[in-house]
Amino acid sequence: HGRTSKDADDASGHRWETSHADPDVAEKAIEAIEFLAIATEDGIPVFSEALTWDLSPRLRKRLLQALYEQRTELEDESSLARPMLGVLQRDPDPLVRIDAVEYAAAVGNVSIVPELQAQLDREKDDRVREAIEWSIRFLRNETTDPPPRFDVPS
């Protein structure tokens, strides 16, 4: 088919920038996951698995948002924090890790603070460290400030 993943376009002209070996597979998988009517805890493993795929940072951030949006249908939205913490621990992109920690704080509770503290001890990027520190304060009800914003890589 001759196109690389960087050249993938869908019928609507939307440009997909993914590093997945087959951009058509990546594109359809993301669409399917986003529009799944699995608004139950049974859908969480699907999102968790998809978050490990070799996708562009933009698509990983999109998956995090889609996972976060599942919260409205769940009895216990804190179950969403675990896959988000997994992204925080393993994603190579600092801006994806920042999104992951902020989403985890939004759906989690104080029970995830020890994992956040452990990640804070390992984290090298100052922006991610700041987001983790904010999340810990937020979960402990020690701040009402909005999360820090990092729109451009440093």
Side-chain angles (χ1 to χ4, degrees):
H1 121 353
R3 295 188 312 173
T4 68
S5 60
K6 299 289 184 205
D7 300 323
D9 294 304
D10 68 12
S12 69
H14 184 83
R15 185 161 180 81
W16 291 89
E17 295 178 21
T18 174
S19 58
H20 193 279
D22 185 337
D24 296 328
V25 171
E27 173 185 334
K28 296 302 179 196
I30 298 298
E31 288 176 2
I33 290 168
E34 280 190 324
F35 297 109
L36 279 175
I38 307 176
T40 70
E41 291 187 21
D42 294 338
I44 295 172
V46 176
F47 284 101
S48 297
E49 174 65 25
L51 284 164
T52 67
W53 295 347
D54 183 22
L55 302 171
S56 70
R58 185 179 60 80
L59 289 179
R60 292 192 311 271
K61 288 172 69 115
R62 185 169 158 189
L63 273 172
L64 279 168
Q65 180 180 3
L67 178 59
Y68 174 73
E69 290 170 359
Q70 295 291 299
R71 77 193 183 289
T72 58
E73 303 295 329
L74 298 176
E75 190 171 307
D76 178 17
E77 67 182 31
S78 68
S79 61
L80 297 175
R82 295 287 167 227
M84 294 171 181
L85 290 172
V87 171
L88 173 63
Q89 293 167 1
R90 74 177 171 275
D91 199 285
D93 187 286
L95 297 178
V96 175
R97 293 196 309 274
I98 289 167
D99 277 7
V101 72
E102 290 177 3
Y103 283 131
V107 298
N109 55 47
V110 75
S111 70
I112 67 170
V113 167
E115 289 175 74
L116 291 174
Q117 189 65 52
Q119 184 62 28
L120 182 62
D121 294 341
R122 291 187 295 266
E123 183 59 55
K124 303 285 189 246
D125 189 286
D126 288 341
R127 299 164 298 171
V128 181
R129 290 180 58 79
E130 185 177 343
I132 294 170
E133 289 167 346
W134 174 86
S135 295
I136 291 169
R137 288 191 311 274
F138 177 80
L139 289 165
R140 290 178 173 163
N141 294 314
E142 296 172 356
T143 186
T144 57
D145 294 338
R149 295 286 16 124
F150 307 96
D151 297 325
V152 292
S154 62

